[in-house]
Amino acid sequence: MSGPVAVRVGPVSWRSRPRTYAVGAAVWLLALAAGLGVLGSGSTPLTAAEVWGALTGSESASVVFLVRELRLPRALTGVVVGASLAVAGSLFQALTRNSLGSPDIIGLTSGAATGAVVGIVVVGSFGWGTAVAATAGCLATVLVTWALVPRGAGG
């Protein structure tokens, strides 16, 4: 494949790499194949034809329920959560300008865990309250880390 391609539409221009789109499409096809495999596997294995019939509604009610109500939401959740974690990791690495950067390196994971523990033990929260406390702990850690970094460090 060739190098970057410049695209211009009026005053807006950007560069894109065809390889990036090819790799993205291959990853999504792999995720789709894995998701379809998950829909057919389990304590009641289903053939590909049964899975397709359940998705189109031409299969028995029990198979449609099994696929659409039990397995499909789990498969979609797995794909969405995995994609979200990949985007979050990419953003973190881009913002820190470190290809090996991860939240645990600068203590964000520990800050979130501390916030969750404080929310559970001190406030007595659960569910969403714990998630909010973990987010607050992570943000507090970000602010402390940002305040401690000398200006001009890290280029």
Side-chain angles (χ1 to χ4, degrees), residues 82-130:
S84 299
L85 289 171
V87 168
S90 296
L91 286 173
F92 192 85
Q93 290 176 353
L95 289 173
T96 60
R97 297 184 194 147
N98 182 353
S99 60
L100 299 176
S102 68
D104 57 330
I105 298 295
I106 61 173
L108 299 184
T109 306
S110 300
T114 302
V117 168
V118 167
I120 293 169
V121 174
V122 175
V123 181
S125 66
F126 60 92
W128 284 102
T130 304

Side-chain angles (χ1 to χ4, degrees), residues 13-105:
S13 66
W14 67 89
R15 296 175 72 155
S16 67
R17 294 196 163 112
R19 179 178 166 192
T20 303
Y21 297 114
V23 169
V27 167
W28 276 109
L29 286 174
L30 183 63
L32 179 64
L36 290 175
V38 165
L39 294 179
S41 64
S43 60
T44 305
L46 301 173
T47 65
E50 288 175 319
V51 170
W52 181 253
L55 291 174
T56 59
S58 63
E59 200 57 51
S60 68
S62 61
V63 174
V64 169
F65 174 78
L66 182 66
V67 171
R68 286 189 185 177
E69 301 297 323
L70 298 179
R71 294 182 182 176
L72 186 60
R74 292 177 187 170
L76 289 176
T77 301
V79 169
V80 170
V81 168
S84 299
L85 289 171
V87 168
S90 296
L91 286 173
F92 192 85
Q93 290 176 353
L95 289 173
T96 60
R97 297 184 194 147
N98 182 353
S99 60
L100 299 176
S102 68
D104 57 330
I105 298 295

Side-chain angles (χ1 to χ4, degrees), residues 142-155:
V142 166
L143 292 175
V144 169
T145 303
W146 178 75
L148 292 176
V149 172
R151 298 298 151 239

